[in-house]
């Protein structure tokens, strides 16, 4: 039973990693911090929020501790205003790799 869940979950995580990296590949730090439209979140906030969601899924599946910084900066109810306390886009992508 466990393998019926583990294999497709692993495949989805691998696919998400490919998509995540492809979407963020050529985005500069400056562009990642900008809010392109008043009703849209900055790319960095979206990337951090997706990573935070991934942490929550992993926590639910394995009991692994959640990253409190990402929960605070990118979790439900957080502001989408980017400031110096936010990790760089490169740091977010590197952190993503540690979840694999």
């Amino acid at each position: 039973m466990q393998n019926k869940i583990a294999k497709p979950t692993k495949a989805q995580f691998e696919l998400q990693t490919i998509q995540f990296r492809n979407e963020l590949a050529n985005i500069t730090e400056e562009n990642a911090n900008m809010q392109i439209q008043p009703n849209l979140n900055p790319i960095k906030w979206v990337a951090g929020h997706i990573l935070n969601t991934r942490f929550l899924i992993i926590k639910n599946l394995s009991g692994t501790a959640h990253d409190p910084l990402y929960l605070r900066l990118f979790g439900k109810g957080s502001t989408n205003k980017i400031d110096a306390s936010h990790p760089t886009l490169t740091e977010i992508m590197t952190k993503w790799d540690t979840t694999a």
Side-chain angles (χ1 to χ4, degrees):
M1 177 66 178
Q2 188 177 31
N3 206 21
K4 285 180 132 179
I5 296 170
K7 279 188 175 183
T9 301
K10 183 178 185 284
Q12 283 300 309
F13 271 41
E14 289 168 353
L15 178 60
Q16 288 172 352
T17 296
I18 292 166
Q19 291 173 328
F20 190 79
R21 290 204 149 279
N22 286 343
E23 294 299 324
L24 300 176
N26 296 312
I27 301 197
T28 66
E29 189 66 25
E30 181 182 4
N31 287 340
N33 292 335
M34 292 177 11
Q35 194 169 359
I36 298 168
Q37 295 287 328
N39 61 335
L40 296 178
N41 294 319
I43 292 168
K44 182 187 285 183
W45 189 89
V46 172
H49 184 71
I50 292 169
L51 177 54
N52 181 62
T53 301
R54 188 174 176 108
F55 284 138
L56 288 171
I57 291 168
I58 291 169
K59 180 183 177 206
N60 289 339
L61 291 173
S62 68
T64 303
H66 190 74
D67 188 308
L69 174 66
Y70 281 76
L71 184 60
R72 181 176 57 80
L73 295 176
F74 303 110
K76 185 176 181 177
S78 64
T79 179
N80 68 353
K81 304 301 180 212
I82 302 298
D83 62 32
S85 69
H86 286 75
T88 66
L89 194 57
T90 300
E91 289 170 333
I92 291 171
M93 292 171 72
T94 300
K95 189 79 163 178
W96 179 277
D97 291 340
T98 68
T99 68

